[in-house]
Amino acid sequence: MEIKNNNASVKIALQGAHIYEYKRKGEEDLLWLSDISDFEEGKAIRGGIPICWPSFGMNNASLPQHGFARTSMFEHIYTKEIDVGTTQVLLRLADNASTRKLWNHKFELDVMFTISSTLKIELKTTNLDTKDFTITQALHSYFSISDIRNIKIKGLENKLYFDALQEKNFLQKGIIEINEEFDNVYQEANEEIVLEDNSKKVHLKSLGSSSVVVWNPWVEKTKRMSAMKEDDYKNFVCIETANAFEDFKLIKPKESHTLSVEIR
Ligand code: BG6
């Protein structure tokens, strides 16, 4: 679906509740989208903001990498015009025979987009079951950049992180600059994150999350990635608002947890 108001325009796929374009009025797309991405049933779109749920990474070996939400069909509940420059869209995934086969729990997963001069995404998980369940999850945001070598990421200084390539923990010294393959999971990250790309700044404010993944596949991994061209690694960085590792969420029956990010 496509939505346009006085402040911004977006494109959102019902499969995965996947936003794959966000343009503020008169500006370029803030999100990166592969121009060879498949828009095919059952395949995740490469770029935009895939929703990784109820498992992020290979956290649950019986589920596909990053869970099944990103390839599931969501229901459109409503589109509401709050004012001429703000629109809200609510999409929902409820458990069904195929989700229960993969993950035997009753749930409701609501994704609320608030589209304005900022983009807010709220991912609300409600446990409709009679037993507890745990989730890990992420808003796996691909940001469009001029060149990976130009960017700086601020707000994660002095945070502990797990380097998924070396499989070791380290302390982040200084701001982040990327000049090789990068796959770090930051813990206890509660401050605003700023992505600087020359004079452009993107601010990320999250709630309900204290873990963040910063990822870029660089040259060799890009060759092995689906729906990515050889040089594409230069054009994006992923900063993923997450509930990962120790930041997993246990949700009791009738309770909810909301993970959200506001991008400006
Ligand atoms: C990131 C992981 O979150 O997602 C990477 O840290 C992974 O290791 C990347 O390669 C992309 O995953 P996928 O399943 O979309 O190809």
Side-chain angles (χ1 to χ4, degrees), residues 50-80:
I51 289 175
C52 303
W53 188 95
S55 164
F56 179 46
M58 280 309 291
N59 182 263
N60 180 336
S62 58
L63 290 176
Q65 149 117 325
H66 293 334
F68 53 79
R70 63 177 175 164
T71 51
S72 298
M73 204 49 97
F74 281 64
E75 188 189 349
H76 176 226
I77 306 297
Y78 63 72
T79 298
K80 233 189 246 173

Side-chain angles (χ1 to χ4, degrees), residues 36-156:
I36 56 164
S37 181
D38 300 302
F39 277 78
E40 248 177 67
E41 214 183 307
K43 277 195 181 177
I45 298 165
R46 176 66 69 199
I49 309 187
I51 289 175
C52 303
W53 188 95
S55 164
F56 179 46
M58 280 309 291
N59 182 263
N60 180 336
S62 58
L63 290 176
Q65 149 117 325
H66 293 334
F68 53 79
R70 63 177 175 164
T71 51
S72 298
M73 204 49 97
F74 281 64
E75 188 189 349
H76 176 226
I77 306 297
Y78 63 72
T79 298
K80 233 189 246 173
E81 191 185 307
I82 306 295
D83 57 51
V84 288
T86 313
T87 313
Q88 279 190 329
V89 178
L90 179 63
L91 304 180
R92 178 171 295 158
L93 177 68
D95 60 286
N96 55 52
S98 54
T99 68
R100 282 193 296 270
K101 223 182 268 170
L102 288 166
W103 196 63
N104 194 16
H105 298 285
K106 291 190 179 137
F107 67 84
E108 197 166 74
L109 178 64
D110 278 354
V111 185
M112 171 82 94
F113 297 92
T114 306
I115 302 137
S116 190
S117 51
T118 67
L119 172 67
K120 189 169 185 190
I121 306 177
E122 293 160 280
L123 188 60
K124 181 181 175 195
T125 304
T126 304
N127 183 344
L128 299 178
D129 220 325
T130 51
K131 51 188 192 291
D132 298 353
F133 60 63
T134 57
I135 56 166
T136 53
Q137 58 181 344
L139 295 161
H140 194 305
S141 315
Y142 287 79
F143 292 101
S144 176
I145 52 178
S146 62
D147 191 296
I148 189 72
R149 292 174 179 86
N150 291 341
I151 65 157
K152 292 182 173 61
I153 299 171
K154 297 182 175 168
L156 293 166

Side-chain angles (χ1 to χ4, degrees), residues 219-231:
V219 180
E220 286 309 314
K221 188 165 179 178
T222 297
K223 295 180 186 159
R224 305 193 299 272
M225 298 292 303
S226 62
M228 244 186 230
K229 292 187 303 199
E230 218 173 283
D231 278 348

